[in-house]
Amino acid sequence: DGGITQSPKYLFRKEGQNVTLSCEQNLNHDAMYWYRQDPGQGLRLIYYSQIVNDFQKGDIAEGYSVSREKKESFPLTVTSAQKNPTAFYLCASSLGQLMNTEAFFGQGTRLTVV
Amino acid sequence: DQQVKQNSPSLSVQEGRISILNCDYTNSMFDYFLWYKKYPAEGPTFLISISSIKDKNEDGRFTVFLNKSAKHLSLHIVPSQPGDSAVYFCAASGDGTASKLTFGTGTRLQVTL
């Protein structure tokens, strides 16, 4: 079954700690993305990667870091510099620069800072 | 600055009737639009999309209409079913692809019996 797997589903972090969210896809997609959803808001783009070993900041990249060492994997690290990290994080992938295609989303990781 | 707006946070429709969800955008560079459906604590699932070269796209019970001059799109679901109850997001892209989507804030649809 092809898809996007995010883990863990729920994550708790103490203030001041870094935490890494996993995202793996077996759709052979070139592009991968990280979005954040807050209550009552839409999804906001954190980082995206169009190709292995390359990534760009999205609209709200401050306090986050990513890597794209493999096509299948795009982990997101929420650093202690992120001032309001509690949110629902969604990873997505797509066929990149192919026109009129959609992004496929994982099931999300809910991060809570305690 | 909200470039994609869904001004109705919620909508209630009877089963069998038509559901119309609306979306407005301000960025004239957007040329590709998508609708996603989302259940709580799950990732969004793709429903339907439309390119700016079209004004209508249909897929089964779902039809999306695009009015470029008004910068407005709408999603019609007919007939509405209880399983359609979810939050619906519209999203827009400026390069015809699914890259760097800008999302609206969502409309919660409740289909009642």
Side-chain angles (χ1 to χ4, degrees):
Chain A
D1 258 333
I4 301 177
T5 302
Q6 289 187 242
S7 60
K9 191 167 176 68
Y10 299 96
L11 190 56
F12 295 87
R13 186 197 93 176
K14 290 184 179 179
E15 273 195 49
Q17 287 182 339
N18 292 357
V19 64
T20 298
L21 283 61
S22 169
C23 178
E24 304 275 332
Q25 55 99 358
N26 60 4
L27 299 167
N28 201 31
H29 285 170
D30 287 316
M32 296 187 74
Y33 317 87
W34 275 104
Y35 289 89
R36 166 184 172 140
Q37 185 188 17
D38 294 283
Q41 296 195 34
L43 283 65
R44 293 182 290 166
L45 183 64
I46 304 172
Y47 266 98
Y48 64 103
S49 168
Q50 304 277 29
I51 197 168
V52 175
N53 292 322
D54 188 42
F55 49 82
Q56 284 80 40
K57 293 182 179 179
D59 300 318
I60 53 166
E62 187 176 348
Y64 299 98
S65 66
V66 293
S67 63
R68 186 85 188 276
E69 296 176 2
K70 298 186 299 182
K71 187 175 185 178
E72 306 78 30
S73 178
F74 191 41
L76 173 75
T77 297
V78 184
T79 74
S80 55
Q82 168 48 235
K83 293 176 183 173
N84 190 16
T86 295
F88 189 51
Y89 290 87
L90 287 157
C91 178
S93 70
S94 75
L95 285 166
Q97 296 304 304
L98 202 63
M99 302 291 278
N100 301 333
T101 59
E102 69 267 26
F104 294 82
F105 283 83
Q107 292 298 292
T109 293
R110 180 163 300 280
L111 173 65
T112 304
V113 174
V114 296
Chain B
D1 176 30
Q2 193 74 26
Q3 296 187 68
V4 177
K5 301 177 186 178
Q6 293 177 258
N7 292 319
S8 299
S10 62
L11 175 68
S12 183
V13 171
Q14 260 189 327
E15 182 182 11
R17 301 285 185 108
I18 184 171
S19 295
I20 301 176
L21 295 94
N22 294 304
C23 180
D24 297 294
Y25 61 96
T26 57
N27 189 339
S28 57
M29 299 302 290
F30 287 148
D31 62 359
Y32 182 53
F33 304 89
L34 306 88
W35 283 95
Y36 281 85
K37 174 181 179 180
K38 186 181 180 302
Y39 295 113
E42 292 186 11
T45 54
F46 170 75
L47 279 175
I48 193 169
S49 64
I50 188 166
S51 163
S52 60
I53 62 173
K54 294 185 174 182
D55 54 18
K56 176 182 174 182
N57 190 25
E58 244 177 304
D59 185 1
R61 296 187 299 114
F62 302 93
T63 303
V64 56
F65 294 92
L66 175 63
N67 182 333
K68 288 188 291 292
S69 60
K71 294 193 179 68
H72 176 82
L73 63 154
S74 61
L75 174 68
H76 293 209
I77 306 172
V78 55
S80 301
Q81 299 172 354
D84 295 330
S85 297
V87 177
Y88 289 78
F89 289 96
C90 71
S93 161
D95 63 359
T97 74
S99 299
K100 297 174 60 180
L101 295 175
T102 299
F103 282 82
T105 53
T107 295
R108 181 177 302 279
L109 173 65
Q110 180 74 38
V111 180
T112 59
L113 297 173

